[in-house]
Amino acid sequence: GQLDKAIDKARQVLARSPDIKVADEMLAFMLQQKEKPDQAIETLRRSVASGNATDAMRVRLGLLLSENGKAQEAVQILAPFAVKGDPDVLNAYGIALADSGHLAEARQQFDRVLQVDKTNASAYQNLGVVALRAGDSAGAMSYLQKALELNDRLPLALNTLGVIYAKSGQTDRAIDAWQKAVQYDRHQYDALYNIAIIAS
């Protein structure tokens, strides 16, 4: 549990031996655990730029980029790995595509996940988010409810469901969904913002 010391030690190792791939990978992982995604991303970017990154490190970089709103770069990095059909990669790739405005292509990736794993709650959640962006509230509701049947602790699904409730005038249900989203993830700033706007 001594993340700060572990991070310092990994940096010392890399200062002496910058070509040790596992040190770069571990440093990025620990920075992510320390909730410093930008530093984790920079660590992996350096590794990729130096030609020292493994495929696993490239995938981790793509996942981090997708999770942190760097959609265009995530699409470029994850595209070659999406052909392998790994559900985590496909979900991240789909999110990056959606954030880049390619909603139809994003849906294709989430559908591919469900062909491999019909119980993948994240894929249903992501389909719900994309459906709402496309203006299909009924479709979004259906996907989100399916996601929450499979896993009732999905903060993004709960936040998005709250948005649908709010748009239909169901304020109490919206606030309840947003409060649950924040309960499960204190970094759900969109949900906190939504609560503040509705409650004010």
Side-chain angles (χ1 to χ4, degrees):
Q2 300 179 61
L3 273 176
D4 289 331
K5 286 185 178 180
I7 288 168
D8 286 344
K9 184 61 70 176
R11 283 181 167 146
Q12 289 170 25
V13 169
L14 284 166
R16 289 194 306 267
S17 306
D19 293 332
I20 298 180
K21 295 177 183 180
V22 70
D24 260 335
E25 190 169 9
M26 288 304 299
L27 177 58
F29 174 77
M30 290 183 290
L31 287 167
Q32 188 179 358
Q33 295 298 304
K34 190 69 177 169
E35 297 184 4
K36 294 183 177 181
D38 288 343
Q39 291 183 33
I41 286 168
E42 283 310 309
T43 298
L44 291 169
R45 276 180 178 153
R46 278 196 310 271
S47 211
V48 169
S50 69
N52 207 28
T54 63
D55 282 354
M57 291 166 74
R58 291 175 187 273
V59 168
R60 182 181 288 279
L61 174 58
L63 296 175
L64 275 169
L65 290 166
S66 180
E67 290 167 7
N68 289 278
K70 303 179 191 305
Q72 295 287 352
E73 190 179 354
V75 166
Q76 291 175 0
I77 288 175
L78 290 173
F81 299 101
V83 296
K84 297 180 181 178
D86 178 275
D88 290 339
V89 173
L90 291 175
N91 269 319
Y93 183 46
I95 290 167
L97 285 167
D99 288 346
S100 300
H102 305 291
L103 299 185
E105 291 176 52
R107 277 194 298 270
Q108 290 173 3
Q109 305 312 312
F110 305 138
D111 286 337
R112 286 178 64 198
V113 174
L114 293 174
Q115 288 171 11
V116 176
D117 177 11
K118 294 188 184 303
T119 64
N120 193 294
S122 294
Y124 284 110
Q125 168 185 263
N126 295 332
L127 282 166
V129 171
V130 167
L132 186 60
R133 287 185 184 178
D136 179 11
S137 293
M141 175 74 79
S142 176
Y143 284 128
L144 294 168
Q145 287 175 337
K146 179 64 175 176
L148 291 166
E149 284 172 15
L150 292 165
N151 179 357
D152 63 359
R153 293 173 173 255
L154 290 172
L156 180 57
L158 288 162
N159 181 52
T160 309
L161 195 61
V163 171
I164 296 171
Y165 286 141
K167 285 184 174 183
S168 63
Q170 301 178 68
T171 305
D172 289 344
R173 295 182 80 178
I175 291 173
D176 180 59
W178 291 329
Q179 286 175 336
K180 285 179 181 174
V182 174
Q183 176 186 339
Y184 298 136
D185 177 10
R186 59 191 174 88
H187 296 115
Q188 269 294 322
Y189 301 121
D190 286 345
L192 285 168
Y193 176 78
N194 291 335
I195 292 168
I197 292 297
I198 294 293
S200 60

